[in-house]
Amino acid sequence: MDLGIRGRTAIVCAASKGLGRGSAEALAAEGVDLVINARGAEALEAAAAEMRARHGVTVTAVAGDITTPEGRAAVLAAAPEADILVTNAGGPPPGLWSDWSREDFLKAIEANMLTPIALMQAAMPGMIARGWGRVVNITSGAVKSPVPQLGLSNTARAGLTGFVAGTSRQVAAQGVVINNLLPGIHATDRALALDGGVVKARGISMEAARAERMATIPAGRYGTPEEFGAACAFLCSVHAGFIVGQNIVLDGGANNATL
Ligand code: NAP
């Protein structure tokens, strides 16, 4: 299927690795020019070089922390007329509900709620003026089914989800489509870090920790950045114009719900 977005320009945040990288790669494979971001310049430049060579698109690497005003300004300046925005950032650390201070909550809300909102507020006026745009926010399966030890993530992402629910309905008639993708467990550094936490807390092996988590997934495995990226690219395509304000769970069936 031709996604109909060849020649478009996309901003993909937090994209040197993991789900952001998978999304950037899938868009590049469709002929989309990219502005990609991550804090670590070396891995980011390497990712950009690989995608340029593999897909023949323009890839501009902007190193910086997307959760800061300076980081966001640099990314937006590199793509003043972006057609596609994929928001993403690292997830907050795990812990217990009683551990977190006001500052911990503010940091999580800044990273996983206010940052994507600020990026949408900056990029969407241009999309509206040009009559076409796509926004995909990478959130978490925890929005539908809370992960108790990820209370900071549960909290911040719920706020973003509420903003998108209303805003997506306000901009749809102007050609701008906003949706959220909710990853369950995917084989990325983030998943490895969370598995490492279980290893440490319970004194079990990494293999045992992974086997336990896989047993909670009906598909019997972790997801891959490639299949996540393909779903993201579809939501950015011309075919997704009637999918508005949805929260699409990619979790191998782990969220045990009828609807
Ligand atoms: P990952 O493999 O750890 O990759 C994170 C990417 O984001 C890296 O490229 C990293 O590069 C970049 N990054 C992190 N913080 C950044 C920041 N402040 N500014 C700019 N770039 C930043 O993570 P992932 O698994 O792809 O997860 C992506 C998002 O999905 C996270 O919010 C995570 O909580 C959520 N999620 C993941 C899973 C899963 O199973 N993987 C499940 C549910 C939700 P630098 O470190 O160089 O900046």
Side-chain angles (χ1 to χ4, degrees):
M1 183 190 282
D2 179 359
L3 297 189
I5 47 179
R6 185 165 299 280
R8 296 278 185 190
T9 299
I11 293 173
V12 187
C13 306
S16 64
K17 296 178 193 162
L19 306 179
R21 171 70 190 273
S23 301
E25 194 85 43
L27 288 167
E30 290 299 317
V32 174
D33 294 322
L34 300 176
V35 171
I36 59 168
N37 150 268
R39 291 163 304 182
E42 202 176 319
L44 184 68
E45 291 293 349
E50 278 174 36
M51 287 190 279
R52 276 183 214 116
R54 198 172 296 139
H55 306 295
V57 294
T58 302
V59 184
T60 306
V62 181
D65 186 339
I66 199 68
T67 69
T68 65
E70 302 74 31
R72 289 191 289 276
V75 167
L76 291 162
E81 300 211 326
D83 306 298
I84 294 167
L85 168 66
V86 179
T87 76
N88 186 27
L96 188 62
W97 62 271
S98 50
D99 289 346
W100 300 309
S101 66
R102 177 181 165 78
E103 282 61 43
D104 294 324
F105 279 105
L106 289 176
K107 205 170 160 204
I109 288 167
E110 185 71 51
N112 299 112
M113 175 184 163
L114 297 179
T115 288
I117 289 174
L119 288 163
M120 282 185 267
Q121 287 178 321
M124 291 200 312
M127 295 178 185
I128 290 169
R130 294 185 297 280
W132 197 93
R134 297 284 184 266
V135 178
V136 174
N137 299 294
I138 299 179
T139 68
S140 173
V143 170
K144 289 236 179 186
S145 177
V147 181
Q149 67 275 23
L150 292 179
L152 292 172
S153 171
N154 299 337
T155 304
R157 297 191 203 271
L160 172 63
T161 306
F163 175 82
V164 167
T167 306
S168 59
R169 271 99 184 162
Q170 291 176 307
V171 300
Q174 289 144 301
V176 179
V177 168
I178 317 175
N179 288 291
N180 301 325
L181 272 182
L182 284 54
I185 301 165
H186 283 71
T188 68
D189 288 359
R190 166 79 171 169
L192 273 180
L194 291 174
D195 289 342
V198 173
V199 167
K200 217 168 139 193
R202 302 204 4 237
I204 59 175
S205 69
M206 187 58 121
E207 291 67 36
R210 285 176 67 94
E212 265 187 22
R213 279 230 281 176
M214 280 188 202
T216 67
I217 307 171
R221 63 176 178 85
Y222 289 10
T224 68
E226 291 75 18
E227 57 199 351
F228 185 92
C232 178
F234 181 79
L235 284 180
C236 297
S237 77
V238 293
H239 309 298
F242 210 51
I243 305 176
V244 172
Q246 298 302 298
N247 290 283
I248 298 169
V249 181
L250 300 182
D251 70 349
N255 180 32
N256 191 35
T258 304
L259 288 176

